[in-house]
Amino acid sequence: VAGILVEASTSEGQGAGDGGRGMSKTHAPRPTPHAPTLYAVVGIGINVTTDPRTLPDGAGSLAGAGVACDPYELTGALYGRFRAWYDRWAAEGFEPIRKVLRPWIGLFGQVVHLSAGATELEGTAMDLDEAGRLLVRLDSGLVRALDVGEVTLLR
């Protein structure tokens, strides 16, 4: 029904208001010269009214599931939720978000393929660390913390 791509960062001591991402200064926390710069770039695609017969196998839509909603109201509601979580991240760090996300992440304990540029890895997704990076145990036993790349669940 939906796909989400996220890029997020915390950079210490840069003092830029939005990491160069174009966020409104009225909505971003005002950093001090030594405060971390926070940004999250989120791309979301939601099949709201798409006829499921026109979608690839395994894909669905809200309309196909019998859920009727206005795309503009959905967009506004999503913005409100993201704004609240962004403000919490700015005030408290990632840990409160990590606690809420962990039960919803179906990758933990599953074998995954990771692709980041020229790097390709396979391993078992274990957890998120305190910075939000995916922890993956490789066949060698080494645990890698990955903060970028495409993750595919291997079945």
Side-chain angles (χ1 to χ4, degrees), residues 54-140:
T54 65
L55 295 169
D57 287 343
S61 72
L62 294 176
V67 177
C69 71
D70 179 280
Y72 298 104
E73 289 179 17
L74 179 60
T75 301
L78 282 172
Y79 170 76
R81 296 296 298 262
F82 276 108
R83 173 69 195 278
W85 281 110
Y86 179 87
D87 290 346
R88 189 160 182 196
W89 178 32
E92 301 175 44
F94 185 71
E95 187 58 29
I97 297 166
R98 178 180 178 223
K99 285 180 182 176
V100 171
L101 283 178
R102 288 165 97 188
W104 292 95
I105 298 176
L107 290 178
F108 298 154
Q110 302 292 321
V111 178
V112 295
H113 176 84
L114 299 109
S115 177
T119 303
E120 304 244 350
L121 303 169
E122 286 187 10
T124 302
M126 304 302 294
D127 202 349
L128 296 178
D129 72 4
E130 65 282 346
R133 298 175 297 188
L134 180 63
L135 299 175
V136 177
R137 181 177 309 281
L138 305 177
D139 288 339
S140 66

